[in-house]
Amino acid sequence: MMSLLVRKSLTCLNFKNSSFLRQSHVSLSHYFCTKRETQHVDTPTVSEFLLHKYHFSPEAASQVASVLPRLKNTEKSDSVLSFLKESGFSGTQLEKIVKYKPEFLLANLEKVIKPKIKIFLDFGFSADEIAEIVSKEPLVLHCSVKNRLIPSLSALKGVLGSKVDLAKVLKSSGWILVRDLQKTLVPNVEFLKSCGIPFEQIVRLIPTFPRFFLLKPKIMRKSVEKADQMGVDRSSGMFIYAARVVSSMSNESWELKLKAFRDLGFSEDDILRVFRTAPMVFSVSTKKLKKITEILLETGKYDMSCIMNTPTSLLYSVENRYRPRLQVLEVLEKRNLIKNWPALGTVNLTSDKKFFEKFVAPYLDEVGEIYTGKNVQKGR
């Protein structure tokens, strides 16, 4: 009798517990489902967040969302973007940074972002300068403050001297900060100075040819030796350009470039003379060298001696400079509006504004249709 009562009690208990558990399961399931739905509704997609909160363009928002489809913590991303915006970054600059590396939306503001901005401020950069430098090279926000950013800024400032020159370099080539400048820039500048290159010229060219100054010192020395072998005088203002040109080419590429000049009719002496006076010409592609030579010879007004004596004529654009100018001169000659064509140096070295004033403006009815577009509208 007692065992029967115990079994009934256990059965009743099991039934009650089962009912309770079933009810609890339904209740908990409903809770978690509702919770997930609420979270889904409350948490915007990356695209929505960027479009509505920070007014990114649909293209930019979509691009970022393709890499980072959802944010787990919008507050974290909001703090990063809000800080940068308050620090002087425009909407366009924020777009550039986030498009470059969407993971910046997940960055730790205090540990990753703020220290980098503070370093730039400590070096005397204005908010506008910082925004321009960082937006052009967002990778600086990803490098180590201690191991890379501070040493690079210090080395670059030590070489350039002034903050003005420092800002100029970084606005055009901020990526230079992620390199080890103590192993490249610093020894290269010292070596070039020892070669007699004026320091003022070095400072002026660093923003223009930053990669040249970041060559391995061994390659830099070989480039200088090659310029010496080609007979370029170290006291010449062209020496550093000559060293840069040879540094950009392998031995095979160099030989192919020499062959291209020979094929155009340049003698060995002509090649050496051009390299010594206008080494930049050797950076022009073989295709362009051939095209410029052809279009100048086709006029019947200039021959190879003109080109060889004015080697910088090989630097200019066929479509934007030569073709419209030569067509204008051809029309003017046919209509007896000019007796003689200008020297080749005048054709290629004259600014757009001066060429327009001398050869187009006085004869606008005759050549206006040829020399149209930006040149006429802006008078450049």
Side-chain angles (χ1 to χ4, degrees):
M1 184 67 179
M2 180 62 70
S3 62
L4 180 61
L5 289 173
V6 170
R7 281 198 301 273
K8 285 183 178 181
S9 297
L10 288 173
T11 301
C12 182
L13 180 60
N14 286 337
F15 175 78
K16 288 180 179 179
N17 286 341
S18 176
S19 175
F20 171 75
L21 288 173
R22 281 198 301 274
Q23 291 176 3
S24 298
H25 174 71
V26 172
S27 178
L28 287 171
S29 297
H30 176 71
Y31 170 77
F32 285 119
C33 182
T34 303
K35 185 69 174 176
R36 283 196 298 270
E37 290 177 355
T38 301
Q39 288 177 337
H40 179 73
V41 172
D42 292 342
T43 304
T45 63
V46 171
S47 183
E48 292 169 340
F49 173 72
L50 296 176
L51 279 171
H52 302 306
K53 185 69 183 287
Y54 288 95
H55 308 294
F56 275 35
S57 68
E59 296 77 14
S62 176
Q63 182 178 330
V64 175
S66 67
V67 178
L68 197 68
R70 185 165 292 280
L71 296 172
K72 293 182 179 179
N73 187 342
T74 55
E75 291 183 2
K76 189 174 186 179
S77 302
D78 190 35
S79 66
V80 170
L81 294 179
S82 294
F83 171 75
L84 291 176
K85 191 173 183 180
E86 292 167 2
S87 298
F89 287 73
S90 67
T92 301
Q93 290 170 331
L94 289 180
E95 274 193 19
K96 287 183 179 179
I97 292 171
V98 178
K99 280 170 61 180
Y100 176 84
K101 193 172 182 63
E103 291 80 3
F104 279 135
L105 291 174
L106 309 177
N108 186 306
L109 176 62
E110 299 298 327
K111 293 182 179 180
V112 176
I113 306 297
K114 282 187 176 181
K116 315 294 170 51
I117 302 301
K118 183 179 183 301
I119 291 302
F120 281 106
L121 289 171
D122 291 345
F123 270 82
F125 291 98
S126 67
D128 288 343
E129 289 173 331
I130 296 172
E132 185 175 353
I133 292 167
V134 173
S135 63
K136 285 185 177 179
E137 188 49 63
L139 192 58
V140 299
L141 291 177
H142 193 64
C143 65
S144 167
V145 169
K146 181 180 179 181
N147 298 325
R148 184 63 71 220
L149 194 56
I150 292 178
S152 293
L153 280 169
S154 299
L156 196 55
K157 187 175 182 180
V159 167
L160 298 173
S162 75
K163 203 276 291 182
V164 173
D165 289 326
L166 179 59
K168 185 177 180 180
V169 171
L170 296 183
K171 286 178 182 180
S172 63
S173 309
W175 54 267
I176 201 172
L177 291 176
V178 304
R179 304 296 182 88
D180 190 342
L181 303 185
Q182 290 290 350
K183 292 182 178 180
T184 54
L185 179 76
V186 174
N188 283 337
V189 168
E190 290 302 314
F191 173 65
L192 291 172
K193 285 166 62 179
S194 72
C195 293
I197 310 294
F199 180 65
E200 295 74 16
Q201 186 182 31
I202 292 173
V203 171
R204 188 172 65 251
L205 292 179
I206 288 177
T208 310
F209 306 123
R211 296 183 189 282
F212 171 64
F213 293 93
L214 297 186
L215 290 172
K216 292 180 179 180
K218 182 179 179 180
I219 296 176
M220 176 65 78
R221 290 179 179 276
K222 287 185 176 180
S223 301
V224 166
E225 289 173 4
K226 186 68 173 287
D228 284 333
Q229 292 169 8
M230 294 290 288
V232 186
D233 192 332
R234 288 191 177 188
S235 63
S236 166
M238 291 293 106
F239 186 82
I240 194 169
Y241 292 96
R244 175 190 168 269
V245 167
V246 295
S247 74
S248 66
M249 288 186 261
S250 64
N251 290 332
E252 182 181 2
S253 297
W254 176 253
E255 290 302 322
L256 289 173
K257 188 57 62 72
L258 294 180
K259 181 179 183 302
F261 278 99
R262 294 183 189 114
D263 291 344
L264 290 174
F266 286 72
S267 68
E268 297 303 312
D269 287 340
D270 292 330
I271 291 173
L272 287 174
R273 181 166 50 80
V274 170
F275 185 75
R276 292 165 186 168
T277 57
M280 305 81 72
V281 171
F282 285 72
S283 296
V284 177
S285 70
T286 300
K287 182 179 179 181
K288 183 175 178 180
L289 290 174
K290 184 178 180 181
K291 185 65 176 177
I292 291 175
T293 301
E294 288 176 351
I295 195 173
L296 291 176
L297 295 179
E298 284 172 0
T299 65
K301 305 298 179 181
Y302 309 109
D303 56 21
M304 283 305 301
S305 64
C306 292
I307 297 173
M308 292 174 186
N309 291 327
T310 316
T312 53
S313 61
L314 296 168
L315 294 172
Y316 296 94
S317 167
V318 170
E319 297 302 325
N320 296 328
R321 177 150 298 201
Y322 281 121
R323 200 176 297 284
R325 293 188 179 195
L326 296 178
Q327 287 176 346
V328 164
L329 294 172
E330 184 178 354
V331 171
L332 294 179
E333 183 187 43
K334 285 181 178 179
R335 298 183 183 181
N336 295 317
L337 295 173
I338 58 171
K339 292 183 178 180
N340 300 303
W341 279 42
L344 181 54
T346 301
V347 173
N348 62 60
L349 293 176
T350 302
S351 68
D352 287 330
K353 182 179 179 181
K354 288 185 177 181
F355 186 88
F356 176 80
E357 291 173 349
K358 185 171 183 178
F359 297 103
V360 180
Y363 319 104
L364 201 55
D365 292 338
E366 288 81 5
V367 297
E369 293 183 2
I370 299 173
Y371 206 77
T372 56
K374 293 181 179 179
N375 292 322
V376 170
Q377 294 171 3
K378 296 184 178 180
R380 296 184 307 175

